[in-house]
C-alpha cells in the first residue's frame, strides 16, 4: 500500500512569514511530486510540481525534493491571508503506474494578519 | 473558454438508484481521471483513462463504472452497489499520463 503522509495541522503562521509544509512517501521508486492548494468547498488547484532532487522555485513558492529521505516540502515565502487553504501533496509512482496519483490527507494552513 | 466542466454541481441519489456524473474537457487532453474526496481526507482514485476506449480501475473502483467513447468525455456512474456514495467527486485531466493533472470544479453527491 503506497502511502503519502502529511501533518494535518492546522499550521498557523503570521502574515509575511515563511510557511513550511512537509510530506513523506513510502514508495521509494516514486517519480513525480505535486502540490495542490484547495480552498474550502473548492476543487484542488495545481501550484507546483517537481521531478528531480533539489529545489524548484516559482514566485513565492519553493518545492524541495529529497528522494533519498523520501520527503517533499513546500515553502511559501511572504505568506498572505489569501494563502490560507488546505495543501495537498500528491505522488506519482511512475513506471506502469504513471498517472496514478496517491494523495496525502492535506495540511490546513492559516495565515493570520 | 478551455477547461474541464463537471455537471451537475450538486446531485442527490435515492436508495437503489444509479446516477451519472458528467465530465467534459476541451483541452485536447489524452488522460482523464475520477477521484473521490471525503471530508477531511485526501483524494482517492476511482478510475482513469489514458486513451479513448480504454480505462483502468483505480484504488476504489467497486460500485462505480465509467466509459470513454470520446476523447473529451469521461462520465462516471455511481451504481446502487456503492453503499456510501456521499462525497465530493472530482474529475481531472492531463495532456498525457506523464503531465500534471488539472481538476474540474467537482460534483457533490448526497443520499436522499
Amino acid at each position: 500500500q503506497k502511502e503519502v503522509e502529511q501533518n494535518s495541522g492546522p499550521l498557523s503562521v503570521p502574515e509575511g512569514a515563511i510557511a513550511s509544509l512537509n510530506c513523506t512517501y513510502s514508495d521509494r521508486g516514486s517519480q513525480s511530486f505535486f502540490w495542490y492548494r484547495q480552498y474550502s468547498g473548492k476543487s484542488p488547484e495545481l501550484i507546483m510540481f517537481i521531478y528531480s532532487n533539489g529545489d524548484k522555485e516559482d514566485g513565492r513558492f519553493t518545492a524541495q525534493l529529497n528522494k533519498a529521505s523520501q520527503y517533499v516540502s513546500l515553502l511559501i515565502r511572504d505568506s498572505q491571508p489569501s494563502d490560507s487553504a488546505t495543501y495537498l501533496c500528491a505522488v506519482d509512482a511512475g513506471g506502469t503506474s504513471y498517472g496514478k496519483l496517491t494523495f496525502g490527507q492535506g495540511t490546513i494552513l492559516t495565515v493570520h494578519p | 473558454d478551455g477547461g474541464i466542466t463537471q455537471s451537475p454541481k450538486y446531485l442527490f441519489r435515492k436508495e437503489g438508484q444509479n446516477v451519472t456524473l458528467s465530465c467534459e474537457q476541451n483541452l485536447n487532453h489524452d488522460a482523464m481521471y475520477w477521484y473521490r474526496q471525503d471530508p477531511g481526507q485526501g483524494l482517492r482514485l476511482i478510475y482513469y483513462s489514458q486513451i479513448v476506449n480504454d480505462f483502468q480501475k483505480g484504488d476504489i473502483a467497486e460500485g462505480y463504472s465509467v466509459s470513454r467513447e470520446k476523447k473529451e468525455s469521461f462520465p462516471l456512474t455511481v451504481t446502487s452497489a456503492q453503499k456510501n456514495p456521499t462525497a465530493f467527486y472530482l474529475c481531472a485531466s492531463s495532456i498525457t499520463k506523464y503531465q500534471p493533472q488539472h481538476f474540474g470544479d467537482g460534483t457533490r453527491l448526497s443520499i436522499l
Side-chain angles (χ1 to χ4, degrees), chain B residues 81-102:
Chain B
Q82 173 48 245
K83 296 307 179 188
N84 185 22
T86 298
F88 189 31
Y89 289 87
L90 290 154
C91 177
S93 71
S94 58
I95 298 171
T96 71
K97 63 182 180 180
Y98 304 107
Q99 306 299 323
Q101 297 175 25
H102 297 271

Side-chain angles (χ1 to χ4, degrees), chain B residues 39-106:
Chain B
Q41 303 288 320
L43 280 65
R44 291 183 290 166
L45 182 64
I46 305 172
Y47 268 99
Y48 63 105
S49 168
Q50 293 169 351
I51 196 169
V52 176
N53 292 322
D54 187 52
F55 50 84
Q56 307 294 329
K57 292 182 179 180
D59 299 319
I60 55 166
E62 186 174 350
Y64 301 97
S65 65
V66 294
S67 63
R68 186 88 187 276
E69 297 176 1
K70 298 185 296 183
K71 186 175 185 178
E72 59 269 25
S73 179
F74 190 41
L76 173 74
T77 296
V78 184
T79 75
S80 56
Q82 173 48 245
K83 296 307 179 188
N84 185 22
T86 298
F88 189 31
Y89 289 87
L90 290 154
C91 177
S93 71
S94 58
I95 298 171
T96 71
K97 63 182 180 180
Y98 304 107
Q99 306 299 323
Q101 297 175 25
H102 297 271
F103 287 87
D105 290 339

Side-chain angles (χ1 to χ4, degrees), chain A residues 18-99:
Chain A
I18 296 175
S20 178
L21 304 157
N22 299 311
C23 172
T24 60
Y25 58 95
S26 62
D27 186 349
R28 183 170 289 278
S30 295
Q31 296 293 319
S32 308
F33 306 85
F34 306 88
W35 283 100
Y36 288 87
R37 177 176 62 199
Q38 187 174 27
Y39 292 114
S40 181
K42 302 297 185 181
S43 63
E45 172 192 10
L46 178 71
I47 53 172
M48 289 289 289
F49 58 92
I50 186 167
Y51 302 141
S52 304
N53 275 331
D55 295 359
K56 179 182 179 182
E57 186 174 317
D58 183 2
R60 296 186 297 112
F61 298 100
T62 298
Q64 299 176 317
L65 175 61
N66 185 324
K67 287 188 176 182
S69 300
Q70 294 176 239
Y71 83 78
V72 56
S73 61
L74 178 70
L75 301 179
I76 307 175
R77 289 181 300 283
D78 188 24
S79 296
Q80 301 297 310
S82 59
D83 294 325
S84 298
T86 298
Y87 289 80
L88 299 168
C89 171
V91 176
D92 189 328
T96 57
S97 298
Y98 258 113

